[in-house]
Amino acid sequence: MRILVTGASGHFGGAAARMLIERISPRDLILMTRKPEKLAALKGAGCEVRYGDFDDEASLEAAAQGAEKMLLISGMKVGYRIGQHSRAIDAAKKAGVRHIVYTSYIGATKDNPALIAKDHFGTEEKLRASGLKWTAMRDGLYMNSMVEAAAPPAIKFGRWVTASGEGKTGLIDRAECVGCAVTVLLSAGHDKHVYNISGTELWSTSDMAALMSEISGKPIEVAHVDRDGFYAHFDAMGVPREPLTEFNVGGIQWCSDDIVSYELAMRDGHFAVPSQDVRTLLGRPAKGFRQFALERADFIRGCV
Ligand SMILES: NC(=O)c1ccc[n+]([C@@H]2O[C@H](COP(=O)([O-])OP(=O)(O)OC[C@H]3O[C@@H](n4cnc5c(N)ncnc54)[C@H](OP(=O)(O)O)[C@@H]3O)[C@@H](O)[C@H]2O)c1
């Protein structure tokens, strides 16, 4: 059985590829990416590397030829992803793929108003209608993103601006999302199944700020703002409100509709989904955020 991993040069895709070749022959792995040159080491290890881009329909069908399962790793263009992922699903079906495992997002239900949830729920709907076997891995908020991207400016400036109120979210170490996806790819079953990949703990922004403050030694004020105040915060930085393909920061497409709708949905409890699914898939509980952060204490102290 050959497995296709899309977006294989990213953190998730690269980690999934490395984990898979510990368990199956590298010859059974097809790695799709827009940047084949970044995958020289995995190619050298025996994996097949193919060019593929969600915005280039022809490349997707060619990349999926011969694969039986596909790990569809969601892209980064918020607001454009239903079209992108739908192209990948259609191409996979044409190429003969039988089962797609998709990296969705926690709380991606029909009634969640966050832009990100619309992208993921829309993709899940496409999978449900595809006639293929499918599994949705609804990954929680990456602890990695919180520690590496959200916390550093809050620690540096001693202020964390949020519209999430005391709403809470499930958090997860990305490595555990990868482990769960690999388990699903390599075991039977899982068709039409939605897994919530987060732990049993739920965290508010105030909880996270308090932990970052405790570890870094720097007091952090949590500045609560409403919808308009949060938009004004991003307007002042020149961040566009609507998704624009030509606007990105460090390669990541950014818009305040995404961030504001996300935090308001968090405030209203849409991401507060505690789950035991990591224990079911990995046979052990998900790592807690305190442990994850303490393992990165040197980095966190370096943000002061
Ligand atoms: N749960 C969370 O908190 C959270 C946080 C951040 C991101 N995410 C989602 O999880 C995914 C994996 O996270 P990550 O940390 O691995 O992100 P990452 O390292 O930034 O990688 C981005 C991924 O998106 C792929 N991609 C972007 N545009 C694409 C396109 N046009 N066609 C095909 N692939 C495209 C990239 O593939 P290439 O190899 O072609 O570059 C790469 O796999 C992200 O893409 C995002 O959808 C979730």
Side-chain angles (χ1 to χ4, degrees):
M1 178 193 64
R2 298 193 86 196
I3 297 174
L4 169 72
V5 175
T6 75
S9 83
H11 291 99
F12 197 119
R18 289 187 293 276
M19 196 177 282
L20 280 163
I21 60 173
E22 286 171 12
R23 314 258 294 269
I24 60 171
S25 163
R27 310 233 164 266
D28 287 331
L29 202 52
I30 302 166
L31 303 178
M32 182 189 110
T33 179
R34 294 162 302 160
K35 304 160 195 155
E37 67 285 358
K38 282 187 145 187
L39 297 183
L42 284 161
K43 189 176 177 185
C47 303
E48 187 173 350
V49 176
R50 296 179 181 168
Y51 175 82
D53 182 337
F54 295 148
D55 294 321
D56 174 356
E57 209 164 329
S59 72
L60 295 167
E61 196 177 333
Q65 288 298 329
E68 190 177 315
K69 291 189 180 180
M70 170 162 91
L71 173 58
L72 175 57
I73 296 177
S74 48
M76 300 293 283
K77 276 190 194 170
V78 174
Y80 295 84
R81 292 186 290 186
I82 298 177
Q84 290 188 317
H85 299 159
S86 294
R87 276 193 283 282
I89 293 165
D90 288 339
K93 187 172 179 176
K94 274 194 206 154
V97 170
R98 289 169 41 199
H99 188 157
I100 297 180
V101 178
Y102 172 64
T103 62
S104 185
Y105 198 82
I106 199 147
T109 55
K110 193 176 185 177
D111 64 340
N112 187 330
L115 215 50
I116 181 180
K118 291 188 186 308
D119 278 0
H120 288 295
F121 183 73
T123 303
E124 288 188 10
E125 287 287 86
K126 176 76 186 178
L127 284 171
R128 284 185 188 93
S130 68
L132 297 172
K133 292 183 182 175
W134 61 269
T135 311
M137 310 298 289
R138 289 189 181 167
D139 295 332
L141 177 59
Y142 290 163
M143 294 174 179
N144 317 69
S145 304
M146 293 317 294
V147 168
E148 292 159 19
I155 296 167
K156 182 91 193 155
F157 301 111
R159 194 160 187 266
W160 195 323
V161 182
T162 183
S164 62
E166 289 310 318
K168 294 186 183 234
T169 184
L171 289 166
I172 189 77
D173 180 353
R174 182 175 48 220
E176 294 194 310
C177 301
V178 174
C180 289
V182 167
T183 298
V184 167
L185 285 165
L186 297 184
S187 54
H190 314 291
D191 180 24
K192 298 184 181 56
H193 204 97
V194 173
Y195 288 105
N196 292 308
I197 308 300
S198 71
T200 50
E201 299 171 359
L202 297 173
W203 289 71
S204 67
T205 301
S206 303
D207 296 334
M208 292 187 261
L211 180 61
M212 292 303 122
S213 189
E214 177 193 322
I215 297 174
S216 66
K218 177 94 177 258
I220 301 173
E221 173 212 356
V222 178
H224 291 284
V225 291
D226 62 9
R227 176 187 180 280
D228 291 348
F230 210 32
Y231 268 119
H233 175 69
F234 292 108
D235 290 348
M237 288 192 253
V239 177
R241 290 198 171 195
E242 291 176 6
L244 299 175
T245 45
E246 66 274 17
F247 182 87
N248 68 72
V249 178
I252 296 176
Q253 198 202 0
W254 228 45
C255 68
S256 52
D257 279 351
D258 174 21
I259 308 161
V260 174
S261 68
Y262 184 93
E263 294 225 348
L264 294 176
M266 180 173 159
R267 179 196 66 189
D268 296 339
H270 290 282
F271 299 117
V273 186
S275 170
Q276 294 275 10
D277 286 350
V278 171
R279 185 193 284 273
T280 303
L281 290 167
L282 300 185
R284 54 176 166 75
K287 182 183 285 186
F289 188 46
R290 170 171 285 275
Q291 184 190 340
F292 180 93
L294 286 171
E295 287 167 4
R296 288 152 184 83
D298 287 345
F299 171 81
I300 291 167
R301 289 191 198 106
C303 296
V304 171

